[in-house]
């Protein structure tokens, strides 16, 4: 396979000409990456629109067998930029994102907010970095098995796990507005918890996909 | 006698003719002026050859040359003179040399985008050039959009789409970084409120482009206007050069001035049908322009009912693209003899040239008149244009003073960069698109106070890095490109929001009982709830329309300019207008069928106005004659001045309001003419500058009208809240003469 000699981009282009991006073969491109090169990303925002700001970025990564999640919360409009800067510091050495609907939402959103501030300088355009979007693989791998493929539904269906006391993603902005109005940190904690659980869930669902598709 | 003259003569022996042709003006033919064709690449030459073009017209060559020099260029030659080629050549040349170069084409209407795409596709095919282009608008599939952003050299879009996608600029990174040209075709459409919004939209675009290091050249084309350079410089904030001398040839044109009132009892619309049918039956390809979609359907129906042997079609917005393409093709290949159209065909859609054009109802501006008339004259052949005015002062004035048409004294296209509501909305959009380092958001506009207001309102937040948008909603959804204020009233149909309009517009178009037009459909309003901010509407196909009746009160807020004359003072400045809505009329074909009261709280807005403070001597001059009534005279003078204002300021009579006071609060008799939009739109400002011309034409209008005591052709206003009472035509002449 000559494309393999040219590395990932050539293989990716070759696959893209024949298969949908949610195809198993795209998932198998994981073998091109070491675990340490993956960055698991999930964000919480004020709205679905890029004109509004990011509240929270959760980013998880492997160091050997250890998995760390770092979370950055923008409690004020002033701190969104700092959140983006901290996130950018995690990028060196990372070669692919793992996200849940992040090809459409999370990564372009972060990219958009970085561009909004005219920076910060990232090593590369993050939208062109490889992105393993677990949502699409889930739909393909468990085709016609479930009614819903949301992250929470997948967690329940595949991992058999129900989150205790978690808020819904759609409620994040309400909690944040309450926080802004009261400055009471009790409204921020559920957002941070929700975001962290989302990052963990991505790792675990990815492992299930690996089990089902590879092992 | 040639064929066109035969046609005009033959009409005179028809039953529907009773001397309505008051004169026929011959507009001489002009020959083609070619220029030494600038050196063009073999592929461009190949394309020109495929079109049978051996040399470029002078205006095309000049446009190519100026654009090559890096100038921003506005091309103002008439319809079908080959403006498009003038800018497509340099754009494609650049793309040929620089494969990554990109260009953004902005069109005001969808049909025109399609036309341009077809032209570019044909250029690609016949030149052998290889480039990507496509239409990017609300109907474009998201995958196609993505491909265009990533690969296209030329993206064709419209202002509404641009307004929505600007915040997503990172996705356009490749396209914007390489952007060399912004093409604004049919730029004259961007006048008034819409144009003032577009001026800020373009500044937002420039601001976003700066992030990507792009500073493209601007290229525009427009119908003839008085002030192309001034207009484009205001619209874009860039320096412009105009290309105006037309090198394209045209045959002799016969302009027949037709006075429908000379056949009493036969409506203008029936007479339009008469000429259309007669001309089409005699094998002259004929296009009649009418003022509404309904009329285009009605006149076609009447023609078909009267004589089914000749096919007459109608053309208007609201038809499916396929239907429109079909009619356009039939017009172009000559297979259809007669079409009745709204101004939808006035724009640069390629339908070739026709033998006879009927302009039924003045299209509002001299510029539009010649856009429509420009459809006449196939390949140097003679053609005819019939002009039939509707019952209106300005329209009749033009019939009687046809030198206004033939001298081509075009109007000024007016936009305002000073409307506070428009500025505030776009400043907010801009800050939501990219962080602002300071309060100066646009290079050439003072935005500081607006930013400060947004900061104190919490919409914008000062951060150590800069000014950041802090809202949780998209400001782009609240800023409407065809309004001066944020939409505060949601028009709902079956629980769904049809559109959001300002309170001012809602008073006129969304009160209980109003017929509201949206996208070619009629909706009847059943409730307007100002407290909750909604109006309920139901889609109903009705053939009547509604007009509100109101009284106005004007308060002077500040004086910006003053000119002292012998017996009057002319002022320009800010005023507060309070409107008292008394009721509304329901009309059908111009006739009032009912009048109903309205219960709405008075509405105030600040705007710009021109006002004339009359010296006591004018009052005395009127009162010298016992038969004259001063109150009626000042009222009539106000109406007549407003009626002719659109001759200078490219606007509609409905864009202007007026109020006359026999005794104003300062004790002087005063006439106010104000911009009918919150914050003003630049019309009164322009009228201040050309006031003496306005007065002399108004005198000609009033004295030249054959009526004795005033009529809709001179001093009656269709908008008057007092039913044109009191009105004194002869007294108005005395006042107007004093204003000279």
């Amino acid at each position: 396979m000559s494309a393999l000699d040219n590395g990932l981009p050539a293989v990716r282009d070759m696959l893209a000409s024949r298969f949908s991006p949610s195809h198993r073969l795209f998932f198998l491109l994981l073998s091109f990456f070491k675990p340490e090169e993956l960055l698991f990303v999930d964000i919480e925002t004020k709205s679905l629109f890029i004109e509004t700001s990011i509240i929270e970025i959760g980013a998880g990564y492997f160091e050997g067998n250890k998995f760390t999640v770092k979370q950055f919360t923008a409690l004020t409009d002033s701190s969104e930029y700092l959140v983006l800067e901290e996130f950018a510091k995690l990028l060196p050495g990372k070669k692919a994102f793992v996200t849940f609907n992040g090809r459409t939402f999370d990564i372009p959103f972060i990219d958009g907010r970085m561009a909004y501030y005219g920076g910060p300088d990232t090593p590369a355009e993050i939208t062109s970095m490889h992105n393993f979007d677990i949502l699409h693989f889930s739909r393909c791998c468990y085709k016609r098995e479930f009614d819903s493929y949301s992250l929470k539904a997948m967690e329940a269906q595949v991992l058999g796990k129900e989150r205790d006391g978690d808020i819904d993603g759609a409620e994040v902005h309400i909690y944040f507005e309450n926080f802004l109005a009261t400055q009471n940190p009790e409204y921020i904690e559920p957002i941070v918890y929700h975001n962290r659980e989302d990052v963990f869930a991505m790792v675990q669902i990815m492992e299930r996909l690996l089990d089902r598709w590879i092992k | 006698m040639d064929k066109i003259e035969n046609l005009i003569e033959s009409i005179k022996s028809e039953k529907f003719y009773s001397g309505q042709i008051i004169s026929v003006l011959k507009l001489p033919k002009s020959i083609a002026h070619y220029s030494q064709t600038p050196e063009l690449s073999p592929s461009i030459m190949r394309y020109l050859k495929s079109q049978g073009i051996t040399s470029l017209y002078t205006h095309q060559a000049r446009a190519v040359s100026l654009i090559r020099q890096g100038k921003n260029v506005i091309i103002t030659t008439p319809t079908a003179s080959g403006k498009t080629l003038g800018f497509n050549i340099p754009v494609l040349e650049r793309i040929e040399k620089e494969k990554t170069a990109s260009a953004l084409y902005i069109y005001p209407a969808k049909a025109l985008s399609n036309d341009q795409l077809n032209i570019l596709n044909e250029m690609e095919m016949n030149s052998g050039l290889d480039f990507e282009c496509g239409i990017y608008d609300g109907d474009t599939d998201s995958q196609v959009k993505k491909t265009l952003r990533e690969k296209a050299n030329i993206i064709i879009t419209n202002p509404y789409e641009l307004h929505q996608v600007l915040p997503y600029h990172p996705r356009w990174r490749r396209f914007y970084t390489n952007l060399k040209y912004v093409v604004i075709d049919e730029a004259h459409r961007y006048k008034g409120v819409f144009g003032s919004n577009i001026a800020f939209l373009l500044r937002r675009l420039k601001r976003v482009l700066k992030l990507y290091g792009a500073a493209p050249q601007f290229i525009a084309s427009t119908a003839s206007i008085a002030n192309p350079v001034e207009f484009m410089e205001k619209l874009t904030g860039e320096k412009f050069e105009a290309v105006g001398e037309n090198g394209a040839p045209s045959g002799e044109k016969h302009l027949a001035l037709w006075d429908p009132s000379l056949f009493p009892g036969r409506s203008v619309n029936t007479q339009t049908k008469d000429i259309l049918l007669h001309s089409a039956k005699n094998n002259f390809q004929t296009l009649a322009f009418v003022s509404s979609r309904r009329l285009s359907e009605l006149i076609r129906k009447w023609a078909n009912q009267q004589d089914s042997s000749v096919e007459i079609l109608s053309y208007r917005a609201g038809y499916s693209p396929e239907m429109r393409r079909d009619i356009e093709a039939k017009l172009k290949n000559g297979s259809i003899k007669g079409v009745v159209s709204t101004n939808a065909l006035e724009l640069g859609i390629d339908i070739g040239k026709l033998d006879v054009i009927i302009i039924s109802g003045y299209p509002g501006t001299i510029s539009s008149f010649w856009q429509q008339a420009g459809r006449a004259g196939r390949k140097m052949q003679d053609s005819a244009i019939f002009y039939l005015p509707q019952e209106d002062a300005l329209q009749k004035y033009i019939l009687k003073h046809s030198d206004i048409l033939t001298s081509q004294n075009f109007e000024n296209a007016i936009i305002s960069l000073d409307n506070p509501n428009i500025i505030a909305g776009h400043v907010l959009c801009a800050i939501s698109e990219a962080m602002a380092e300071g309060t100066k958001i646009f290079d050439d506009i003072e935005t500081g106070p607006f930013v400060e207001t947004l900061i104190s309102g919490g919409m914008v937040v000062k951060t150590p890095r800069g000014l950041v948008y802090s809202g949780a909603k998209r400001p782009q959804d609240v800023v409407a490109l065809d309004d001066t204020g944020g939409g505060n009233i949601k028009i709902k149909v079956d629980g769904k929001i049809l559109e959001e309009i300002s309170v001012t517009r809602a008073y006129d178009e969304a009160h209980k009982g109003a017929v509201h037009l949206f996208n070619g459909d009629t909706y009847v309003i059943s409730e307007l709830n100002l407290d909750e901010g909604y109006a309920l509407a139901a889609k109903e196909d009705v053939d009547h329309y509604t007009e509100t009746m109101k009284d106005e009160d004007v308060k002077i807020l500040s004086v910006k300019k003053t000119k002292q004359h012998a017996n009057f003072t002319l002022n320009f400045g800010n005023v507060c207008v309070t409107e008292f809505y008394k009721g509304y009329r329901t009309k059908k074909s111009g006739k009032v069928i009912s009048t109903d009261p309205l219960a709405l709280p008075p509405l105030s807005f600040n705007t710009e106005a021109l006002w004339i403070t009359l010296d006591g001597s004018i009052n005395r001059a009127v009162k010298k004659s016992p038969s004259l009534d001063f109150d009626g005279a000042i009222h009539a003078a106000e109406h007549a001045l407003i009626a002719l204002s659109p001759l200078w300021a490219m606007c509609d009579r409905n864009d202007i309001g007026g109020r006359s006071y026999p005794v104003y609060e300062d004790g002087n008799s005063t006439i106010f003419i104000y911009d009918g939009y919150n914050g003003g739109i630049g019309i009164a400002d322009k009228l201040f500058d050309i006031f003496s011309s306005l007065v002399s034409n108004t005198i000609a209008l009033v004295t030249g009208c054959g009526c004795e005591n005033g009529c809709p052709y001179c001093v009656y206003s269709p908008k008057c809240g007092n039913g044109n009472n009191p009105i004194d035509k002869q007294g108005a002449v005395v006042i107007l003469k004093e204003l000279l």
Side-chain angles (χ1 to χ4, degrees):
Chain A
M1 204 197 242
S2 68
L4 268 183
D5 303 333
N6 299 327
L8 175 70
V11 179
R12 194 167 54 189
D13 291 349
M14 190 199 74
L15 291 178
S17 64
R18 295 178 194 192
F19 304 104
S20 111
S22 58
H23 194 274
R24 175 175 169 262
L25 287 175
F26 277 95
F27 188 70
L28 298 184
L29 291 178
L30 262 179
S31 58
F32 275 83
F33 301 92
K34 295 182 195 129
E36 296 80 40
E37 292 171 342
L38 301 176
L39 191 64
F40 294 73
V41 179
D42 184 60
I43 65 171
E44 314 303 327
T45 59
K46 275 193 193 167
S47 81
L48 295 177
F49 301 111
I50 207 168
E51 298 89 330
T52 63
S53 55
I54 290 176
I55 300 169
E56 171 106 14
I57 301 182
Y61 51 89
F62 284 102
E63 288 166 304
N65 282 333
K66 193 176 91 179
F67 186 74
T68 307
V69 178
K70 284 201 172 168
Q71 289 178 282
F72 310 104
T73 313
L75 295 180
T76 64
D77 289 297
S78 301
S79 48
E80 188 198 21
Y81 179 74
L82 301 175
V83 164
L84 293 167
E85 266 188 335
E86 290 303 317
F87 172 73
K89 286 181 191 163
L90 296 178
L91 291 172
K94 298 290 181 284
K95 294 188 175 157
F97 292 118
V98 182
T99 60
F100 200 88
N101 196 29
R103 220 168 43 212
T104 313
F105 183 71
D106 302 66
I107 300 304
F109 205 109
I110 294 174
D111 183 49
R113 295 309 297 172
M114 284 178 167
Y116 177 82
Y117 292 99
D121 293 330
T122 47
E125 282 177 28
I126 59 169
T127 45
S128 53
M129 207 156 123
H130 196 87
N131 191 335
F132 290 96
D133 194 326
I134 301 295
L135 168 64
H136 298 291
F137 294 127
S138 300
R139 279 191 184 138
C140 182
C141 185
Y142 296 93
K143 205 171 190 173
R144 294 195 197 93
E145 289 183 40
F146 307 132
D147 292 332
S148 167
Y149 293 89
S150 74
L151 186 55
K152 259 195 190 165
M154 286 297 295
E155 214 177 344
Q157 288 151 179
V158 178
L159 308 174
K161 199 176 141 188
E162 297 281 347
R163 287 188 207 172
D164 196 17
D166 187 25
I167 59 170
D168 196 64
E171 293 174 299
V172 164
H173 74 101
I174 304 170
Y175 276 78
F176 190 67
E177 279 162 24
N178 284 335
F179 166 73
L180 289 179
T182 62
Q183 293 295 311
N184 182 346
E186 277 179 20
Y187 289 111
I188 287 296
E189 281 157 18
I191 301 176
V192 176
Y193 172 74
H194 171 81
N195 178 258
R196 186 174 62 230
E197 290 302 302
D198 276 0
V199 179
F200 281 131
M202 282 195 291
V203 188
Q204 289 169 299
I205 293 167
M206 197 175 85
E207 281 172 351
R208 289 302 162 95
L209 290 171
L210 276 167
D211 285 343
R212 199 159 162 148
W213 262 346
I214 298 175
K215 287 175 187 168
Chain B
M1 211 187 295
D2 73 4
K3 277 167 61 184
I4 282 290
E5 285 182 314
N6 283 338
L7 170 74
I8 295 170
E9 278 313 305
S10 70
I11 283 176
K12 293 182 176 169
S13 54
E14 286 291 322
K15 269 197 291 195
F16 61 79
Y17 187 78
S18 75
Q20 294 103 312
I21 297 179
I22 55 171
S23 67
V24 179
L25 307 172
K26 280 191 191 176
L27 311 174
K29 67 177 170 193
S30 60
I31 54 158
H33 294 278
Y34 294 106
S35 180
Q36 183 91 35
T37 299
E39 201 172 302
L40 299 167
S41 75
S43 27
I44 301 279
M45 290 303 287
R46 211 172 303 136
Y47 168 72
L48 293 180
K49 204 175 157 201
S50 75
Q51 303 297 301
I53 300 171
T54 48
S55 315
L56 296 182
Y57 295 132
T58 40
H59 62 277
Q60 293 171 325
R62 195 167 126 74
V64 170
S65 150
L66 287 171
I67 295 167
R68 279 180 179 174
Q69 291 167 38
K71 302 264 168 56
N72 300 312
V73 174
I74 164 95
I75 312 170
T76 65
T77 53
T79 316
S81 58
K83 286 185 277 226
T84 311
L85 188 63
F87 61 73
N88 274 340
I89 289 178
V91 169
L92 293 184
E93 256 180 5
R94 180 77 177 256
I95 293 171
E96 187 176 12
K97 280 189 212 139
E98 251 175 85
K99 293 274 172 255
T100 55
S102 60
L104 182 66
Y105 283 41
I106 303 172
Y107 278 87
K110 214 178 257 299
L112 296 168
S113 303
N114 289 325
D115 252 22
Q116 181 57 257
L117 182 65
N118 291 339
I119 292 170
L120 287 168
N121 284 337
E122 206 184 323
M123 287 186 89
E124 186 181 16
M125 208 165 65
N126 292 323
S127 65
L129 286 170
D130 181 23
F131 60 90
E132 298 288 328
C133 65
I135 294 175
Y136 195 111
D137 65 22
D139 294 339
T140 311
D141 171 81
S142 64
Q143 201 51 44
V144 175
K145 282 185 169 178
K146 189 164 180 273
T147 310
L148 286 171
R149 289 195 304 264
E150 288 170 0
K151 302 214 164 85
N153 296 99
I154 299 177
I155 285 181
I156 305 169
T157 190
N158 61 57
Y160 300 99
E161 184 69 13
L162 188 60
H163 176 57
Q164 293 299 334
V165 302
L166 264 186
Y168 298 87
H169 50 84
R171 296 184 187 174
W172 293 68
R173 194 175 271 132
R174 178 208 62 90
F175 186 82
Y176 284 164
T177 306
N178 296 300
L179 191 65
K180 305 297 176 214
Y181 302 103
V182 174
V183 174
I184 305 169
D185 208 351
E186 305 278 338
H188 58 278
R189 288 279 298 257
Y190 304 124
K191 64 182 168 71
V193 172
F194 184 45
S196 306
N197 277 287
I198 302 308
F200 285 95
L201 175 65
L202 291 173
R203 282 163 176 77
R204 279 164 49 203
L205 171 68
K206 280 168 42 176
R207 187 171 172 269
V208 161
L209 290 177
K210 245 191 216 171
L211 294 177
Y212 299 93
Q217 245 174 287
F218 284 80
I219 306 170
S221 92
T222 157
S224 308
I225 49 176
N227 57 339
V229 170
E230 176 206 47
F231 171 62
M232 282 314 300
E233 293 188 348
K234 252 183 147 172
L235 194 68
T236 62
E238 301 285 331
K239 287 266 162 250
F240 264 81
E241 294 220 17
V243 174
E245 270 181 40
N246 182 19
S250 67
E252 190 174 50
K253 288 187 168 79
H254 301 253
L255 172 58
L257 300 165
W258 182 287
D259 186 350
S261 68
L262 297 176
F263 195 141
R266 203 168 181 86
S267 78
V268 181
N269 304 326
T270 307
Q271 297 186 45
T272 303
K273 179 265 302 168
D274 294 336
I275 306 171
L276 170 68
L277 206 49
H278 179 85
S279 169
K281 265 165 49 183
N282 283 285
N283 225 15
F284 291 94
Q285 204 181 19
T286 306
L287 172 60
F289 283 105
V290 297
S291 55
S292 72
R293 298 177 186 198
R294 187 161 297 282
L295 273 180
S296 71
E297 297 286 353
L298 271 181
I299 293 177
R300 180 198 57 158
K301 193 168 93 182
W302 296 339
N304 292 344
Q305 279 168 351
Q306 186 178 327
D307 191 337
S308 56
S309 69
V310 50
E311 191 188 11
I312 306 281
L313 295 180
S314 54
Y315 182 101
R316 60 174 174 84
Y319 282 179
S320 71
E322 295 75 31
M323 258 171 101
R324 291 172 67 150
R325 292 301 90 75
D326 182 52
I327 301 170
E328 288 160 19
K330 282 179 168 165
L331 274 169
K332 209 172 169 181
N333 67 26
S335 64
I336 176 100
K337 283 292 165 232
V339 170
V340 195
S341 174
T342 60
N343 63 0
L345 263 184
E346 173 191 321
L347 294 159
I349 295 163
D350 183 17
I351 50 164
K353 294 265 192 166
L354 301 106
D355 303 311
V356 176
I357 299 295
I358 303 168
I359 301 176
S360 178
Y362 181 60
T365 64
I366 298 167
S367 176
S368 288
F369 184 94
W370 287 110
Q371 285 269 101
Q372 297 187 348
R375 291 293 188 190
R378 189 196 303 277
K379 291 209 173 101
M380 291 298 289
Q381 284 174 18
D382 290 2
S383 59
I385 300 146
F386 288 85
Y387 168 53
L388 291 76
Q390 295 279 348
E391 198 177 83
D392 172 85
L394 176 65
Q395 301 205 12
K396 186 72 172 276
Y397 179 82
I398 287 165
L399 184 80
K400 296 233 165 142
H401 300 85
S402 53
D403 56 313
I404 287 181
L405 295 173
T406 51
S407 65
Q408 309 213 336
N409 251 333
F410 296 110
E411 300 88 350
N412 291 281
I414 289 175
I415 52 170
S416 166
L417 300 176
D418 302 323
N419 185 300
N421 306 300
I422 295 178
I423 301 176
H426 287 276
V427 162
L428 190 60
C429 288
I431 298 178
S432 83
E433 285 151 5
M435 183 196 72
E437 284 180 8
T439 58
K440 190 143 187 73
I441 306 300
F442 307 118
D443 293 340
D444 57 342
I445 312 276
E446 174 53 45
T447 51
F450 298 97
V451 177
E452 294 301 337
T453 308
L454 292 170
I455 292 172
S456 58
M459 298 301 283
V460 169
V461 172
K462 272 187 192 164
T463 76
R465 194 154 166 93
L467 298 167
V468 171
Y469 174 63
S470 169
K473 288 200 174 113
R474 311 187 64 220
Q476 289 76 6
D477 287 344
V478 191
V479 172
L481 294 182
D482 29 29
D483 210 342
T484 49
N488 294 332
I489 303 288
K490 295 180 176 74
I491 298 185
K492 294 184 186 172
V493 179
D494 297 332
K496 284 189 190 143
I497 297 171
L498 181 72
E499 67 169 331
E500 209 170 327
I501 63 175
S502 63
V503 174
T504 326
R505 260 182 80 194
Y507 265 57
D508 277 321
E509 300 172 24
H511 58 78
K512 188 179 176 190
V515 175
H516 181 75
L517 277 170
F518 181 78
N519 213 4
D521 294 317
T522 44
Y523 294 81
V524 177
I525 307 286
S526 57
E527 184 193 345
L528 170 60
N529 188 325
L530 292 168
D531 297 329
E532 309 265 326
Y534 67 83
L536 301 181
K539 192 169 168 183
E540 268 181 58
D541 193 15
V542 295
D543 60 358
H544 60 265
Y545 57 98
T546 50
E547 266 176 15
T548 51
M549 295 181 294
K550 55 196 173 189
D551 283 338
E552 301 86 5
D553 190 30
V554 184
K555 291 259 178 293
I556 298 168
L557 300 176
S558 65
V559 184
K560 286 184 183 163
K561 292 193 263 188
T562 292
K563 259 187 228 164
Q564 185 68 50
H565 294 263
N567 42 10
F568 72 99
T569 314
L570 189 65
N571 307 280
F572 168 75
N574 292 325
V575 297
C576 175
V577 176
T578 304
E579 296 178 328
F580 303 88
Y581 282 72
K582 300 193 299 190
Y584 69 97
R585 301 187 190 102
T586 304
K587 287 177 146 184
K588 197 170 167 177
S589 310
K591 304 264 183 296
V592 178
I593 52 176
S594 67
T595 303
D596 294 277
L598 273 179
L600 289 168
L603 189 67
S604 290
F605 62 96
N606 291 349
T607 184
E608 293 177 331
L610 157 92
W611 65 97
I612 311 146
T613 309
L614 307 183
D615 194 88
S617 63
I618 298 185
N619 192 320
R620 287 191 293 277
V622 175
K623 285 182 175 160
K624 231 190 301 179
S625 168
S627 64
L628 301 181
D629 165 40
F630 183 76
D631 292 9
I634 194 170
H635 192 197
E638 171 216 325
H639 283 179
L641 285 167
I642 291 176
L644 287 196
S645 295
L647 279 182
W648 282 274
M650 203 176 215
C651 65
D652 186 87
R653 184 176 189 144
N654 293 321
D655 297 335
I656 325 167
R659 172 76 161 97
S660 49
Y661 292 88
V663 183
Y664 188 57
E665 47 195 40
D666 61 3
N668 295 310
S669 308
T670 309
I671 299 172
F672 287 91
I673 300 176
Y674 55 82
D675 292 7
Y677 294 99
N678 203 351
I681 207 69
I683 299 170
D685 195 2
K686 186 55 103 180
L687 295 177
F688 180 89
D689 294 340
I690 56 83
F691 186 70
S692 60
S693 311
L694 173 63
V695 173
S696 48
N697 285 45
T698 308
I699 293 170
L701 163 77
V702 182
T703 54
C705 184
C707 73
E708 202 169 318
N709 298 317
C711 73
Y713 289 124
C714 55
V715 295
Y716 279 23
S717 163
K719 274 178 73 183
C720 182
N722 298 305
N724 290 297
N725 186 36
I727 217 96
D728 187 327
K729 177 183 167 181
Q730 301 310 331
V733 175
V734 176
I735 293 181
L736 289 165
K737 284 186 173 164
E738 295 287 335
L739 298 181
L740 262 185

